[in-house]
Amino acid sequence: MKWCLVMLILAGVTRADNSVDADYSILKCPDLNSQEEIDLNEIMGKWYVVEVLEHKVDPSKPNGSYKVNSCPIVKLRAVENTSKYFSSLRLLWTEEIGDLEYTFRIPDVSRKPGFWISTSVQNGTLVERGYKQFSGNVHVMKAVASDMVLTFCSRNPDNQLYSLLLSREHILQKSDKRGVHNLLGRRGLKIVNIRETCMNNAAWRRGSFDLIGWLALIGVLSSVFFGSW
């Protein structure tokens, strides 16, 4: 069964609106320090969503980490104004069940390139499936060549707070994931749930490697066994 991950994210934060930790129950986004030096041109293009990190308690499910049978892709594209100045960007979320396009404004490109504000409603095929519109801020908590972390926060009435861990490849090393978790913790963002995605690609690669290794072993054993006759 294929799940719509973006719907699962918003369903979770909506159910948790009336039962959240005291730190996040106030109807405003926490003060977050995004990465100061970011080359916006370098973060454009295709990313894989390898984890969704929820920062609000959902009493309807246990805390912890679990896998979701989905591998969403995020594509970032710069939007230039009439003077060819990089002032906003578009984020296209795509998964098997549909897509969504977000538009963000960057109020201070030179001093705070990692702080974005949503400027319009989202468009895409997932809107027709009852998607709950996001209106708020995005903080780029980390942006390096291999991975990036975007923290989404919306104010009243939705009061959503979650992060996306993005990678240029399907797989991100566990040490890199732990580093991101520690970074968010130091920034005051407690992780209460982790949705792991793009796991089937990793399993397929491991399965292919195991199959090749098994066939090679059979070949060696066969040559030894039959060669002795």
Side-chain angles (χ1 to χ4, degrees):
M1 182 178 181
K2 296 295 182 183
W3 294 94
C4 178
L5 182 61
V6 72
M7 300 292 282
L8 286 175
I9 298 170
L10 296 176
V13 296
T14 302
R15 286 196 302 270
D17 278 345
N18 296 322
S19 300
V20 299
D21 282 351
D23 293 340
Y24 303 138
S25 60
I26 53 178
L27 299 180
K28 66 177 183 179
C29 294
D31 292 330
L32 298 174
N33 294 322
S34 56
Q35 183 170 313
E36 294 182 356
E37 295 184 5
I38 300 174
D39 187 337
L40 291 172
N41 291 313
E42 291 297 320
I43 68 172
M44 296 297 110
K46 182 178 179 180
W47 296 86
Y48 294 94
V49 181
V50 295
E51 280 188 351
V52 178
L53 309 162
E54 298 181 33
H55 307 300
K56 293 181 63 177
V57 174
D58 182 356
S60 68
K61 60 178 181 288
N63 295 344
S65 176
Y66 52 98
K67 298 175 177 61
V68 178
N69 185 22
S70 180
C71 188
I73 293 174
V74 163
K75 291 183 179 178
L76 293 174
R77 178 170 61 88
V79 178
E80 297 178 342
N81 57 21
T82 54
S83 60
K84 302 298 182 180
Y85 186 66
F86 191 164
S87 58
S88 60
L89 57 85
R90 289 195 172 95
L91 184 155
L92 178 63
W93 171 291
T94 305
E95 52 185 307
E96 186 172 340
I97 200 170
D99 56 58
L100 277 173
E101 186 177 63
Y102 300 74
T103 301
F104 297 103
R105 178 174 60 89
I106 309 174
D108 193 341
V109 177
S110 59
R111 291 185 297 179
K112 290 187 176 181
F115 177 67
W116 311 341
I117 300 175
S118 61
T119 58
S120 62
V121 298
Q122 287 84 63
N123 298 310
T125 57
L126 290 178
V127 174
E128 302 170 359
R129 295 177 173 268
Y131 163 76
K132 193 175 183 64
Q133 293 284 334
F134 173 85
S135 177
N137 306 329
V138 172
H139 293 262
V140 184
M141 306 301 288
K142 177 186 178 183
V144 295
S146 61
D147 56 281
M148 179 166 61
V149 181
L150 303 180
T151 297
F152 289 69
C153 183
S154 67
R155 298 169 295 278
N156 185 44
D158 298 329
N159 203 20
Q160 303 168 14
L161 186 60
Y162 59 90
S163 297
L164 301 180
L165 174 52
L166 310 178
S167 173
R168 288 295 190 185
E169 304 293 336
H170 289 91
I171 303 174
L172 192 63
Q173 297 296 325
K174 289 184 178 180
S175 58
D176 293 326
K177 293 182 180 180
R178 284 195 301 269
V180 167
H181 300 169
N182 293 335
L183 169 67
L184 293 176
R186 292 193 300 270
R187 301 286 176 85
L189 291 171
K190 184 175 72 172
I191 300 172
V192 297
N193 275 301
I194 302 175
R195 302 177 192 264
E196 297 182 84
T197 57
C198 295
M199 301 301 291
N200 287 343
N201 295 281
W204 182 86
R205 285 176 178 154
R206 288 197 303 270
S208 299
F209 177 81
D210 293 343
L211 177 61
I212 294 171
W214 177 246
L215 291 176
L217 178 60
I218 292 176
V220 171
L221 293 176
S222 298
S223 63
V224 172
F225 180 77
F226 289 108
S228 63
W229 286 83

